[in-house]
């Protein structure tokens, strides 16, 4: 299958051009059908491409030396959407010059630009930021929203569940992903009025391509007991940062323990295969690539500190969503359900 090319904001992220180009090149080595529109400073991109000769025939450069700062307010960034590498990468999707955009830049600015340029799908109130998290099961879990919407009502949560299930069917291959709402307990009486109303609507709805299984507490997110975790962006972002912090704590603790004495160093050598597996499982670069679901186009957010492997994974997420036509999957599911009747605004 021939894929539309992917627009890469080559200036975004902590290390900018070098890592973004190296990540795109790594993705292309894995999948030689990938093609790119590299948006950023032409001289710097050309210099980076010299180290990746396989990219020369698969890449076009769109020159732009204006960059959105990591701490720039979205409202200010929006005014420079037509002159910045991030804005032009998103605009390439709007204009049909690329099938998807990937950026490691300012999350708030990227969401604002993407929403303004691509608009929200008919039938949806808001887009949501979704990401894959590792679990003890065979498949990753999809969690949304992770920060795009601070406050969400019941209708928003129901729509997030529909979008998350559509994404999960692509990732897991399950016809009916297991969906749960993030809550402070599993009892039906727990949680806010909006969470309870969303749960009631999801239990009562027919035609949904998912199995709604009630609530999940934050300590069970990574157990592999569900495929989609739905929450408001405020709670989701806190939970995500707590999970990432716990993963770093575990790896740092193990590193400290294994270097504390000669005996522990010997123990490390004996247990190295297991610790390497743990390190690989907890490495955020192996799960990099959050998606803005609900827009009329595919936009993927790479972590700002991602290395080349992480950027490559973000590119592959974008390609997979294009291959499996995530936009029409969501449109179809919304049409099947008719979310207007699920929860009153």
């Amino acid at each position: 299958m021939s894929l539309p090319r992917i627009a890469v904001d080559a200036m975004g992220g902590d290390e900018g051009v070098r890592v973004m180009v190296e990540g795109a090149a790594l993705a292309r080595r894995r999948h030689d059908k990938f093609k790119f529109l590299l948006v950023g400073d032409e001289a710097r991109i050309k210099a980076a491409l010299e180290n990746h000769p396989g990219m020369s025939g698969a890449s076009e450069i769109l020159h732009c030396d204006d960059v959105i700062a990591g701490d720039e307010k979205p409202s200010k960034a929006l005014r420079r959407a037509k002159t910045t590498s991030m804005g032009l990468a998103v605009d390439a999707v709007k204009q049909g010059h690329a099938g998807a955009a990937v950026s490691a830049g300012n999350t708030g600015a990227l969401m604002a630009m993407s929403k303004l340029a691509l608009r929200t799908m008919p039938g949806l109130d808001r887009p949501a930021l979704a990401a894959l998290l590792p679990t003890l099961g065979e498949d990753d879990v999809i969690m949304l929203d992770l920060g795009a919407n601070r406050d969400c009502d019941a209708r928003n949560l129901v729509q997030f569940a529909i979008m998350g299930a559509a994404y999960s069917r692509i990732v897991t291959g399950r016809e009916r992903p297991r969906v749960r709402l993030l809550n402070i307990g599993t009892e039906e009486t727990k949680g806010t009025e909006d969470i309870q109303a969303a749960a009631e609507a999801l239990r009562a709805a027919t035609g949904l391509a998912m199995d709604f299984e009630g609530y999940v507490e934050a300590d069970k997110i990574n157990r592999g007991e569900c495929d989609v975790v739905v929450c408001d962006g405020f709670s989701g972002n806190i939970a995500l940062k707590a999970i990432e912090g716990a993963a770093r704590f575990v790896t740092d603790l193990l590193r400290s323990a294994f270097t504390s004495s000669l005996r522990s160093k010997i123990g490390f050598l004996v247990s190295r295969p297991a610790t390497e597996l743990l390190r690989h499982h907890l490495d955020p670069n192996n799960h990099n690539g959050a998606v803005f679901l609900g827009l009329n186009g595919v936009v993927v957010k790479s972590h700002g500190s991602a290395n080349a492997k992480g950027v490559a994974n973000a590119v592959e997420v974008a390609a997979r969503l294009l291959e499996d036509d995530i936009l029409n999957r969501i449109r179809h599911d919304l049409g099947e359900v008719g979310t207007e009747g699920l929860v009153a605004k």
Side-chain angles (χ1 to χ4, degrees), residues 68-80 106 108-109 112-113:
I68 298 296
D71 59 353
E72 192 165 333
K73 291 183 178 180
S75 57
K76 181 181 177 182
L78 274 177
R79 294 195 288 270
R80 300 196 296 125
N106 183 315
M113 288 183 179

Side-chain angles (χ1 to χ4, degrees), residues 152-154 157 181-200 203 212 214-218 230-232 235:
C152 298
D153 60 20
L157 296 175
L181 292 168
L182 183 64
N183 204 343
I184 58 173
T186 57
E187 299 88 349
E188 291 187 11
T189 56
K190 289 293 181 73
T192 64
E193 291 183 2
D194 284 321
I195 291 176
Q196 291 184 25
E200 183 180 352
R203 290 190 191 99
F212 177 66
Y215 303 136
V216 61
E217 294 181 84
V230 178
C231 53
D232 63 83
S235 303

Side-chain angles (χ1 to χ4, degrees), residues 7 9 68-69 72-74 77-78 85-91 101-118 129 290-292 295 298-302:
D9 171 15
I68 298 296
E72 192 165 333
K73 291 183 178 180
L78 274 177
S85 59
M86 178 187 291
L88 291 176
V90 173
D91 186 66
V102 176
S103 176
N106 183 315
T107 303
L110 182 61
M111 169 55 88
M113 288 183 179
S114 300
K115 189 173 180 179
L116 180 64
L118 302 175
L129 183 62
V291 185
F292 291 130
L295 298 172
V298 174
V299 178
V300 174
K301 171 66 174 70
S302 170

Side-chain angles (χ1 to χ4, degrees), residues 292-316:
F292 291 130
L293 294 176
L295 298 172
N296 292 299
V298 174
V299 178
V300 174
K301 171 66 174 70
S302 170
H303 201 290
S305 62
N307 60 21
K309 180 174 65 174
V311 172
N313 284 337
V315 168
E316 290 171 6

Side-chain angles (χ1 to χ4, degrees), residues 114-286:
S114 300
K115 189 173 180 179
L116 180 64
L118 302 175
R119 304 294 181 182
T120 306
M121 285 183 180
L124 286 176
D125 297 333
R126 303 177 182 181
L129 183 62
L132 295 169
L133 303 181
T135 73
L136 293 176
E138 294 182 358
D139 298 307
D140 292 337
V141 62
I142 291 169
M143 189 168 174
L144 72 167
D145 177 34
L146 294 177
N149 306 281
R150 184 182 63 185
D151 301 311
C152 298
D153 60 20
R155 178 182 168 89
N156 300 144
L157 296 175
V158 170
Q159 293 178 350
F160 294 170
I162 292 171
M163 293 191 293
Y167 186 15
S168 181
R169 290 200 298 278
I170 292 174
V171 174
T172 67
R174 291 177 181 268
E175 293 184 5
R176 300 185 61 84
R178 300 163 297 171
V179 177
R180 296 186 186 181
L181 292 168
L182 183 64
N183 204 343
I184 58 173
T186 57
E187 299 88 349
E188 291 187 11
T189 56
K190 289 293 181 73
T192 64
E193 291 183 2
D194 284 321
I195 291 176
Q196 291 184 25
E200 183 180 352
L202 288 168
R203 290 190 191 99
T206 58
L208 291 174
M210 69 174 81
D211 288 327
F212 177 66
E213 298 184 347
Y215 303 136
V216 61
E217 294 181 84
D219 64 333
K220 300 294 193 302
I221 291 173
N222 302 103
R223 301 298 299 179
E225 297 172 358
C226 59
D227 304 303
V228 181
V229 174
V230 178
C231 53
D232 63 83
F234 186 81
S235 303
N237 193 267
I238 290 176
L240 176 65
K241 296 296 173 55
I243 290 170
E244 290 176 342
R248 286 193 295 269
F249 172 74
V250 169
T251 54
D252 290 346
L253 190 64
L254 286 173
R255 185 182 299 110
S256 176
F258 281 129
T259 57
S260 60
S261 67
L262 177 60
R263 178 178 293 181
S264 64
K265 291 178 181 178
I266 295 173
F268 169 72
L269 293 175
V270 173
S271 61
R272 187 167 185 173
T275 55
E276 284 297 307
L277 179 62
L278 177 64
R279 185 185 63 82
H280 175 81
H281 204 57
L282 295 180
D283 185 351
N285 287 293
N286 294 323

